[in-house]
Amino acid sequence: MSSPSPVQIREANAHLVAVHRRVAELEQWLEAAENTVREQAESLIRKDEQLRAATQEIAEAKDKEIHYLHEKLCKSEETIQRFQNMVKEKDAMIGQLQHRCQLLDNICKSRPLLDSMLSHMAEAERLGPVVGMGEPTANTSDGESNCSPNRISNHKDFSLSEDDMDDQELDEIVFGTTV
């Protein structure tokens, strides 16, 4: 075997230098890529931790808001229940007052009749007893007055008009209120 020529040796050395340079470039590129990947991984880890912390804060804020809204809902339901009870009480009071109002309306409607009856009774009392009707006039010690029902029904000075004849049904009704 023959030894390589100096040209071949120079070419081989140049090729080795070029390969060595290329290996050095690739190692630098690989190291830069590894650094980039490491930095990106660290950045992703930091971002993941930040996102987890933010998610935890949001979850805690959400839980606090839910708790606050739940308490507010409970208070609102209590207030609604209180208002509903007040409405029931007011409705019951309105029912009672409506009944009393009807009674007062009925009383007011009957007032002209009552006023008329009272004026007739006052006039009858002013007239006094009728002398000479065959009844004892001086003996009123038995407790009967001139206007007792027994004496009025037999008394001839009290006559019924047509209106009074129509209103005889009222004689059977007992007037009174429970107010």
Side-chain angles (χ1 to χ4, degrees):
M1 260 212 195
S2 69
S3 81
S5 68
V7 173
Q8 286 179 336
I9 292 175
R10 268 187 265 150
E11 285 179 2
N13 283 338
H15 182 67
L16 283 175
V17 168
V19 168
H20 184 62
R21 236 186 266 140
R22 179 73 180 141
V23 167
E25 286 175 8
L26 289 175
E27 284 178 352
Q28 285 176 353
W29 182 82
L30 179 62
E31 188 178 336
E34 285 176 349
N35 286 340
T36 302
V37 168
R38 190 176 322 112
E39 288 173 1
Q40 287 177 347
E42 290 172 357
S43 174
L44 288 174
I45 290 171
R46 281 192 304 271
K47 285 183 181 179
D48 186 50
E49 289 173 355
Q50 290 172 350
L51 289 175
R52 285 185 188 186
T55 303
Q56 182 67 26
E57 288 177 15
I58 291 170
E60 289 173 2
K62 174 196 67 134
D63 290 342
K64 286 180 182 178
E65 183 75 14
I66 288 172
H67 181 71
Y68 168 75
L69 292 175
H70 181 71
E71 286 181 356
K72 192 172 181 180
L73 176 67
C74 290
K75 288 179 182 178
S76 296
E77 287 175 349
E78 289 173 4
T79 302
I80 288 170
Q81 187 64 39
R82 225 181 13 225
F83 286 150
Q84 286 175 338
N85 290 338
M86 286 173 54
V87 166
K88 285 179 184 177
E89 290 173 5
K90 298 292 183 183
D91 285 345
M93 183 181 291
I94 287 171
Q96 291 175 358
L97 292 174
Q98 284 176 335
H99 178 69
R100 289 179 182 204
C101 184
Q102 282 181 325
L103 289 174
L104 289 173
D105 282 345
N106 291 340
I107 289 170
C108 288
K109 287 177 185 175
S110 301
R111 182 166 178 178
L113 178 65
L114 293 174
D115 287 343
S116 173
M117 186 174 72
L118 288 173
S119 70
H120 291 306
M121 289 174 66
E123 183 179 346
E125 284 183 4
R126 274 194 314 259
L127 291 176
V130 176
V131 180
M133 289 294 295
E135 293 182 23
T137 58
N139 188 8
T140 58
S141 63
D142 59 351
E144 284 190 11
S145 69
N146 290 334
C147 293
S148 71
N150 294 335
R151 295 188 67 180
I152 290 177
S153 63
N154 294 331
H155 207 286
K156 296 191 176 29
D157 283 348
F158 292 103
S159 63
L160 295 176
S161 69
E162 275 186 36
D163 291 337
D164 293 335
M165 294 296 271
D166 292 338
D167 293 337
Q168 278 186 348
E169 303 166 359
L170 296 177
D171 292 341
E172 296 173 4
I173 299 174
V174 176
F175 288 100
T177 63
T178 58
V179 180

